[in-house]
Amino acid sequence: MEDVQGRHDAREIPINRVGIKDIAHPIVIENRDGSRSTSVATFSMSVSLSHDQKGTHMSRFVQMLNENETVISAKNFHQMLQAMVTRLEADNGYIEMQFPYFVEKTAPVSKVKSLMDYQVNLIGQIEQGHLDSTLEVTIPVKSLCPCSKQISEYGAHNQRSHITVGINCSAKLWLNELIQMVEAQASAELYAILKRPDEKYITEQAYNNPKFVEDVVRDVANEFDLCDKISRYYVHAENFESIHNHSAFAVIEHDKSV
Amino acid sequence: MEDVQGRHDAREIPINRVGIKDIAHPIVIENRDGSRSTSVATFSMSVSLSHDQKGTHMSRFVQMLNENETVISAKNFHQMLQAMVTRLEADNGYIEMQFPYFVEKTAPVSKVKSLMDYQVNLIGQIEQGHLDSTLEVTIPVKSLCPCSKQISEYGAHNQRSHITVGINCSAKLWLNELIQMVEAQASAELYAILKRPDEKYITEQAYNNPKFVEDVVRDVANEFDLCDKISRYYVHAENFESIHNHSAFAVIEHDKSV
Amino acid sequence: MEDVQGRHDAREIPINRVGIKDIAHPIVIENRDGSRSTSVATFSMSVSLSHDQKGTHMSRFVQMLNENETVISAKNFHQMLQAMVTRLEADNGYIEMQFPYFVEKTAPVSKVKSLMDYQVNLIGQIEQGHLDSTLEVTIPVKSLCPCSKQISEYGAHNQRSHITVGINCSAKLWLNELIQMVEAQASAELYAILKRPDEKYITEQAYNNPKFVEDVVRDVANEFDLCDKISRYYVHAENFESIHNHSAFAVIEHDKSV
Amino acid sequence: MEDVQGRHDAREIPINRVGIKDIAHPIVIENRDGSRSTSVATFSMSVSLSHDQKGTHMSRFVQMLNENETVISAKNFHQMLQAMVTRLEADNGYIEMQFPYFVEKTAPVSKVKSLMDYQVNLIGQIEQGHLDSTLEVTIPVKSLCPCSKQISEYGAHNQRSHITVGINCSAKLWLNELIQMVEAQASAELYAILKRPDEKYITEQAYNNPKFVEDVVRDVANEFDLCDKISRYYVHAENFESIHNHSAFAVIEHDKSV
């Protein structure tokens, strides 16, 4: 059978990225304490294609996922990127994998334990031999409006917010550490289980700690600026406003090397 | 060319519903005050198919949308259902159309006007000659937790909530009327524009008016029970909890004829 | 601290369902061969609430998920429902859990193995002491249009389709069995990895096996009618038409006991 | 009442973008032939914030949408960006607006007319006085696999595909023109209504015109390279593969000024 993808292409147009997306696959994640978590990831995998080749070999991407158990660590993710560009005979390669990650959290007063989920997105690329990767996490928190608190006799509007951070590291930073750094900058953290004394604690903590969406991104940025392990970052906060049917959002990007 | 859909089918299996879905089409809506609004609806249109017919004629559904400007009123919606079963030569017919509907709201203190959007779903069916239709609307509001208020020294967690109601009417009820009936049962309403005096008003109103998700569905149910125009309803409330990463929800269904 | 949820409610309105939704939790699934798979499920858990009680105890639902590893089998799912109504002191209870499930499939010619994912939804309820559960699965397949094949000199339009089935069983039916029964009724099955000889096989198989969306639901219904283990079912097929920007769909529902 | 947002901020951290998102608003679009279409857009509007200011004035964004009927043309979009940075007293400003846009298409043989919808995203920015805008459109088409056609005795797998293009223009290019340029590069175009002779035409056209996802992006890139009105572009094609449960995709980016 003819290898149609392998034909010569005369259009003289190189392709930046070609590959597969929206493929689900079970994964295993190495945790900080040596334990392993399971999850399900959605992958996007692609490579560059030179101007003279008609098509890439799509099935090779899927074979990479199916040949071995997919154990995810920073090291493995880099090896996976390297293996992909070698196998696809490509100059550049790109992998994104998104998955829910669970952290066991302890309620502030009752000390009841429960799992909370965070969406993680590992984004990696090799371009001209240079490997770069970004760890992106979306962290749901509570925000309480400083203006509403200030101008009202009692109460203050508050809501669920998403803080999405993307970091490039010069030294190893565990998912747990990153999540804790970010949660500490919100008006209050979220938990899957809160007993009444915990609910009182969180309510009062948020009221004592009002933050605009601008305050949230600045306080996260300040933490990241102080952390030597982070060389470049972006932080995006979105408040699902409880007095409007739309969101408020803010973004800070910072490359420390510039 | 052969009419393959028109072939005889020997499997002896009737089909409950067959048709098209997820087709977008611009619409015009008749408002209470005689004015007209424009929107974009997503349609699902289907009919029953008798056991001896191989296929329905899918293009006729789409022709119905394209032949005339789609002006939506309760009366037109019923005529559209009738026209569909006639044209498709079917016993039963089903139409759903979902679209955003905009209402001009006036902020409580500053009186500034702004549009707010509500998702509407018109659901109609003709079964064995009997026509029935449900008007479903999702109404975003604010809810404030009575428990959090009661047990905390100050503050109370609150959040955006969605109240989705589906009603069957014995007399005409305008979208605006229905939305106002429902919004009045929340801890507070939402607005696209709130000036500072409005924000103070809403914050204090919600604090004075705490409601569990259970309270919201009960208070809406109570209103609907008192309204003679409504013969059957369901009310579903969902709080996007600002202390958890999951929702709380409650549902009441009531058929007054039973 | 006062138990606000436990207060007496004077509105005299019972609530059909109240609980939590959209909470993610890792699960373990028992397979037919005794092995175990891991996945991540999204849960909805709710109970009825009597007319005289102000609120339910939301944290108990979450505690049920967090106290034990969530191992899912038909038996465990029923025990979970029973435990929930007991723990929440409720008459009626409802659980839905949605999760991706992976099946290792073997390509038809090359025999290469790869995982494919299916969305599963377990839906269970206890009403007035009676337990009932539905196993719902969405199975992506290929459909090829009989009309397009018949009227064209060469080729035929085909596309990805979703067949969603919901079954109530009188005897144990494994997920694998159900998926195979349904895939056999499509124009062709899907696979994550297909080598060129497999691609030729699938292309020709689909061309030899054209089916309208009506044919697909009838052929699945026919299989289910013949299967003694299934007492009640619905089958919904949706073709993401490759000649239109909308879907064609069909539905058959059948309760054998009626 | 205190203007909390107007307070001085001592953290010395400027914010790249702060504003609102996911707000729906009805719009009017100027067409090529002078006629006007209506649609509903989802807006994101944001500005930069200097290091010494605590917060921006969120309600001003919404006021801009509500003060005037939102008539969208290239010229108006640029004026809206200018007005926003002036009103928010900001250095930089960003607007994105996404909406469905309908084009009346004529079936190839029967000449039946019907509307088809395309998702449009207008993306504009003013940075340091320099205005730049990108017109992004997602165009659904049919793709037919050259490999499947070549190796199979008969038939060829085909599927719905999305071609998303983003262009920066040096001269006016109407939406209609852009959509036609892109549709001409697919295996075949889609239509909302196709009669049998049209279906035969499209089926055979696609079979005569097989294209990999790589071919589609190259052929669109080639057209854009030849079009003097386009100064910079990206083209992303995604095939919702009808033999797999995942997508194939390809991307080309080209800035002609580099």
Side-chain angles (χ1 to χ4, degrees):
Chain A
M1 277 178 206
E2 192 196 334
D3 177 5
V4 182
Q5 283 84 354
R7 283 184 195 162
H8 181 265
D9 202 284
R11 276 165 294 193
E12 300 280 332
I13 302 177
I15 292 179
N16 295 69
R17 300 186 185 201
V18 55
I20 60 168
K21 60 183 288 194
D22 288 338
I23 184 163
H25 204 78
I27 59 167
V28 173
I29 305 148
E30 287 191 357
N31 298 318
R32 191 181 188 177
D33 62 3
S35 67
R36 290 179 163 203
S37 301
T38 57
S39 190
V40 173
T42 302
F43 286 83
S44 165
M45 304 168 79
S46 59
V47 292
S48 57
L49 190 70
S50 67
H51 70 86
D52 57 354
Q53 202 178 335
K54 185 166 173 69
T56 193
H57 292 89
M58 298 283 186
S59 64
R60 293 185 191 171
F61 297 107
V62 193
Q63 281 178 297
M64 284 186 63
L65 295 179
N66 280 278
E67 282 166 359
N68 301 104
E69 192 186 37
T70 307
V71 180
I72 300 302
S73 63
K75 192 177 153 202
N76 287 2
F77 186 59
H78 291 176
Q79 287 173 344
M80 197 175 172
L81 270 163
Q82 295 283 8
M84 184 179 72
V85 292
T86 302
R87 188 150 178 177
L88 274 294
E89 300 161 31
D91 289 337
N92 304 331
Y94 309 87
I95 300 180
E96 283 201 39
M97 47 183 296
Q98 294 182 283
F99 55 92
Y101 180 72
F102 292 89
V103 174
E104 189 182 69
K105 299 188 67 173
T106 304
V109 180
S110 70
K111 306 301 178 192
V112 172
K113 291 180 190 306
S114 60
L115 292 183
M116 196 168 118
D117 61 305
Y118 303 86
Q119 284 296 319
V120 176
N121 190 10
L122 280 181
I123 306 163
Q125 62 173 55
I126 292 180
E127 286 196 338
Q128 299 169 319
H130 178 69
L131 191 148
D132 194 21
S133 66
T134 302
L135 170 60
E136 189 185 271
V137 193
T138 296
I139 296 151
V141 299
K142 175 192 263 304
S143 64
L144 186 139
C145 178
C147 172
S148 169
K149 176 182 174 181
Q150 175 70 21
I151 63 181
S152 304
E153 295 286 322
Y154 35 78
H157 79 79
N158 51 76
Q159 54 267 317
R160 204 188 293 168
S161 304
H162 279 179
I163 310 178
T164 299
V165 298
I167 62 165
N168 296 60
C169 292
S170 49
K172 179 134 195 141
L173 190 65
W174 289 92
L175 260 172
N176 270 26
E177 288 179 274
L178 176 62
I179 289 169
Q180 283 170 21
M181 280 174 70
V182 173
E183 287 182 334
Q185 311 312 318
S187 293
E189 295 182 35
L190 309 189
Y191 299 84
I193 302 178
L194 291 172
K195 297 303 214 173
R196 270 195 299 267
D198 303 312
E199 187 171 353
K200 172 180 162 63
Y201 180 93
I202 296 290
T203 302
E204 296 172 357
Q205 182 189 40
Y207 193 80
N208 289 330
N209 200 22
K211 299 214 180 185
F212 286 128
V213 71
E214 293 95 330
D215 294 316
V216 171
V217 291
R218 275 177 169 140
D219 289 346
V220 172
N222 194 46
E223 279 297 297
F224 286 180
D225 283 341
L226 296 171
C227 176
D228 287 342
K229 293 177 175 175
I230 296 174
S231 55
R232 202 167 78 231
Y233 66 82
Y234 53 84
V235 47
H236 177 287
E238 177 174 5
N239 289 358
F240 303 101
E241 296 285 292
S242 65
I243 59 171
H244 299 304
N245 195 26
H246 59 260
S247 292
F249 80 103
V251 181
I252 293 176
E253 296 173 4
H254 188 204
D255 183 345
K256 298 186 188 177
S257 70
V258 178
Chain B
M1 275 179 208
E2 192 197 333
D3 177 5
V4 183
Q5 283 85 353
R7 285 183 194 161
H8 181 265
D9 202 284
R11 277 164 295 194
E12 299 281 333
I13 303 176
I15 292 179
N16 295 68
R17 301 186 186 201
V18 54
I20 59 167
K21 60 182 288 194
D22 289 338
I23 184 163
H25 204 79
I27 60 167
V28 173
I29 305 148
E30 285 191 358
N31 298 318
R32 190 180 190 176
D33 62 3
S35 67
R36 290 180 163 203
S37 300
T38 57
S39 191
V40 174
T42 302
F43 285 84
S44 166
M45 305 169 79
S46 59
V47 292
S48 58
L49 190 71
S50 67
H51 70 87
D52 57 353
Q53 202 178 334
K54 186 168 173 66
T56 193
H57 292 90
M58 299 285 185
S59 64
R60 293 185 192 170
F61 297 107
V62 192
Q63 280 177 298
M64 284 188 61
L65 294 179
N66 280 278
E67 282 167 358
N68 301 105
E69 191 185 37
T70 307
V71 180
I72 300 302
S73 63
K75 191 176 154 204
N76 287 1
F77 187 58
H78 291 176
Q79 287 173 344
M80 197 175 172
L81 269 163
Q82 295 283 10
M84 184 180 70
V85 292
T86 303
R87 186 149 179 178
L88 275 292
E89 300 159 33
D91 290 336
N92 305 331
Y94 309 88
I95 300 180
E96 284 201 38
M97 47 182 298
Q98 294 181 282
F99 55 92
Y101 180 72
F102 293 88
V103 175
E104 189 180 70
K105 299 188 67 173
T106 304
V109 180
S110 71
K111 306 301 178 193
V112 172
K113 292 180 189 307
S114 60
L115 293 184
M116 196 167 116
D117 61 307
Y118 302 85
Q119 283 296 318
V120 177
N121 190 9
L122 281 181
I123 306 163
Q125 62 174 53
I126 293 180
E127 286 196 339
Q128 298 167 321
H130 179 69
L131 191 147
D132 194 21
S133 65
T134 302
L135 170 59
E136 188 183 273
V137 193
T138 295
I139 297 150
V141 299
K142 175 191 264 303
S143 64
L144 185 139
C145 178
C147 173
S148 170
K149 176 181 174 182
Q150 176 68 22
I151 63 182
S152 304
E153 294 287 320
Y154 34 78
H157 79 79
N158 52 77
Q159 54 268 317
R160 204 188 294 167
S161 303
H162 280 178
I163 309 178
T164 300
V165 299
I167 61 165
N168 296 60
C169 293
S170 50
K172 179 133 194 141
L173 190 64
W174 290 92
L175 260 172
N176 270 25
E177 287 180 275
L178 177 61
I179 289 169
Q180 282 169 21
M181 280 174 71
V182 174
E183 287 182 333
Q185 311 312 317
S187 293
E189 296 183 35
L190 309 190
Y191 299 84
I193 301 179
L194 291 173
K195 298 302 217 174
R196 270 195 300 266
D198 303 311
E199 187 172 353
K200 172 179 160 63
Y201 180 92
I202 295 290
T203 302
E204 294 171 356
Q205 182 189 41
Y207 193 80
N208 289 330
N209 201 21
K211 299 214 179 185
F212 286 128
V213 72
E214 293 95 331
D215 294 316
V216 171
V217 289
R218 276 179 169 138
D219 290 345
V220 172
N222 193 48
E223 280 296 298
F224 286 180
D225 283 340
L226 296 171
C227 176
D228 287 341
K229 294 178 175 175
I230 296 174
S231 55
R232 201 167 80 231
Y233 67 82
Y234 53 83
V235 47
H236 176 288
E238 177 173 4
N239 290 359
F240 304 101
E241 296 285 293
S242 65
I243 60 171
H244 298 304
N245 194 27
H246 59 261
S247 292
F249 80 104
V251 180
I252 292 175
E253 297 172 4
H254 189 203
D255 184 346
K256 297 185 187 177
S257 72
V258 178
Chain C
M1 277 179 205
E2 192 197 335
D3 176 5
V4 184
Q5 283 85 353
R7 285 183 192 161
H8 181 264
D9 202 285
R11 277 165 293 195
E12 299 281 333
I13 302 176
I15 293 179
N16 296 68
R17 301 187 185 201
V18 55
I20 59 168
K21 60 182 289 195
D22 288 338
I23 183 164
H25 204 78
I27 60 167
V28 173
I29 305 148
E30 286 190 357
N31 298 318
R32 190 181 190 178
D33 62 2
S35 67
R36 290 180 162 202
S37 300
T38 58
S39 190
V40 173
T42 302
F43 285 83
S44 165
M45 305 169 78
S46 60
V47 293
S48 58
L49 190 71
S50 67
H51 70 86
D52 57 354
Q53 202 178 334
K54 186 168 172 68
T56 193
H57 292 90
M58 298 284 186
S59 64
R60 293 184 192 171
F61 297 107
V62 193
Q63 281 177 296
M64 284 188 60
L65 294 179
N66 280 277
E67 281 166 0
N68 300 106
E69 191 186 36
T70 308
V71 180
I72 300 303
S73 62
K75 193 177 153 201
N76 288 1
F77 187 58
H78 292 175
Q79 288 174 345
M80 197 175 172
L81 270 163
Q82 294 283 8
M84 184 179 72
V85 292
T86 302
R87 188 150 180 177
L88 275 294
E89 299 161 33
D91 290 337
N92 304 331
Y94 309 87
I95 300 180
E96 283 200 39
M97 48 183 295
Q98 296 181 281
F99 55 91
Y101 180 71
F102 292 88
V103 175
E104 190 181 69
K105 299 189 65 173
T106 304
V109 180
S110 71
K111 305 304 178 192
V112 172
K113 291 179 189 308
S114 61
L115 293 183
M116 197 167 117
D117 61 307
Y118 303 86
Q119 283 296 319
V120 176
N121 190 10
L122 280 180
I123 306 163
Q125 62 173 55
I126 292 179
E127 286 197 338
Q128 298 168 319
H130 179 69
L131 191 148
D132 194 21
S133 65
T134 301
L135 170 60
E136 188 184 272
V137 193
T138 296
I139 296 151
V141 299
K142 174 192 263 303
S143 63
L144 186 139
C145 178
C147 172
S148 169
K149 177 182 174 181
Q150 175 69 22
I151 63 182
S152 304
E153 295 285 321
Y154 35 78
H157 80 77
N158 51 77
Q159 54 266 319
R160 206 189 293 168
S161 304
H162 279 180
I163 309 178
T164 299
V165 298
I167 62 166
N168 296 59
C169 293
S170 50
K172 179 134 195 142
L173 190 65
W174 290 92
L175 261 172
N176 271 25
E177 288 178 275
L178 177 61
I179 289 169
Q180 283 169 20
M181 279 173 70
V182 174
E183 288 183 332
Q185 311 313 318
S187 293
E189 297 182 35
L190 309 189
Y191 298 85
I193 301 179
L194 290 173
K195 298 304 217 172
R196 270 196 298 266
D198 302 312
E199 187 171 352
K200 171 180 162 62
Y201 180 94
I202 295 290
T203 302
E204 295 172 357
Q205 182 189 39
Y207 192 79
N208 289 329
N209 200 21
K211 299 214 181 185
F212 285 129
V213 73
E214 293 96 330
D215 294 315
V216 170
V217 290
R218 276 179 169 140
D219 290 343
V220 172
N222 192 48
E223 278 297 297
F224 286 0
D225 284 340
L226 295 172
C227 175
D228 286 341
K229 294 176 174 176
I230 297 174
S231 56
R232 201 167 79 230
Y233 67 82
Y234 53 84
V235 48
H236 177 288
E238 176 174 4
N239 289 358
F240 303 102
E241 296 284 292
S242 64
I243 59 171
H244 299 305
N245 195 27
H246 59 261
S247 292
F249 80 103
V251 181
I252 292 175
E253 297 173 5
H254 188 205
D255 184 346
K256 297 186 189 178
S257 70
V258 178
Chain D
M1 276 180 207
E2 193 197 332
D3 176 4
V4 183
Q5 283 85 351
R7 284 183 194 162
H8 181 264
D9 202 284
R11 276 166 294 194
E12 300 281 335
I13 303 176
I15 292 179
N16 296 67
R17 301 187 185 201
V18 55
I20 59 168
K21 59 182 289 191
D22 288 337
I23 184 163
H25 204 79
I27 60 167
V28 174
I29 305 149
E30 286 190 358
N31 298 318
R32 190 182 190 176
D33 61 2
S35 67
R36 289 179 163 203
S37 300
T38 57
S39 191
V40 174
T42 303
F43 285 83
S44 166
M45 304 169 79
S46 60
V47 293
S48 58
L49 191 70
S50 66
H51 69 88
D52 57 353
Q53 202 178 334
K54 185 167 174 67
T56 192
H57 291 90
M58 297 284 185
S59 64
R60 294 184 192 172
F61 297 106
V62 193
Q63 281 177 296
M64 283 187 61
L65 294 179
N66 280 277
E67 281 166 359
N68 301 103
E69 190 186 39
T70 307
V71 180
I72 300 302
S73 63
K75 191 176 155 202
N76 287 2
F77 187 59
H78 291 175
Q79 287 173 344
M80 197 176 174
L81 269 164
Q82 294 282 9
M84 183 180 71
V85 293
T86 302
R87 188 148 179 180
L88 274 293
E89 299 160 33
D91 290 337
N92 305 331
Y94 309 88
I95 300 180
E96 283 200 39
M97 48 183 296
Q98 295 181 283
F99 55 91
Y101 181 71
F102 292 88
V103 175
E104 189 182 70
K105 297 187 69 174
T106 304
V109 180
S110 71
K111 306 301 176 192
V112 172
K113 291 179 190 305
S114 61
L115 292 183
M116 196 167 117
D117 61 307
Y118 302 86
Q119 283 296 318
V120 176
N121 191 9
L122 281 181
I123 306 163
Q125 63 173 52
I126 293 179
E127 286 197 338
Q128 297 168 320
H130 179 69
L131 191 148
D132 193 21
S133 66
T134 302
L135 170 59
E136 189 185 272
V137 193
T138 296
I139 297 150
V141 299
K142 175 193 265 302
S143 63
L144 185 139
C145 178
C147 173
S148 170
K149 176 182 173 182
Q150 175 70 21
I151 63 180
S152 304
E153 295 286 320
Y154 35 78
H157 79 78
N158 51 78
Q159 54 267 319
R160 205 188 292 167
S161 304
H162 279 179
I163 308 178
T164 300
V165 298
I167 61 166
N168 296 60
C169 293
S170 50
K172 179 135 194 139
L173 190 64
W174 290 91
L175 260 172
N176 270 25
E177 288 179 275
L178 177 61
I179 289 169
Q180 282 170 20
M181 278 174 72
V182 173
E183 287 183 332
Q185 311 313 318
S187 294
E189 296 183 34
L190 309 190
Y191 298 84
I193 301 179
L194 290 173
K195 298 303 215 173
R196 270 197 298 269
D198 303 311
E199 188 172 352
K200 172 181 160 62
Y201 180 92
I202 296 290
T203 302
E204 295 172 357
Q205 182 188 41
Y207 193 80
N208 288 330
N209 200 21
K211 299 214 181 184
F212 286 128
V213 73
E214 293 96 329
D215 294 316
V216 170
V217 291
R218 275 179 169 140
D219 289 345
V220 172
N222 193 48
E223 279 297 296
F224 286 0
D225 283 340
L226 295 172
C227 175
D228 286 342
K229 294 176 174 177
I230 297 175
S231 55
R232 202 167 78 231
Y233 67 83
Y234 53 84
V235 48
H236 176 289
E238 177 175 4
N239 290 0
F240 303 102
E241 296 284 292
S242 65
I243 59 171
H244 299 305
N245 195 26
H246 59 261
S247 292
F249 80 104
V251 181
I252 293 176
E253 298 173 4
H254 189 204
D255 184 345
K256 296 186 188 177
S257 70
V258 178

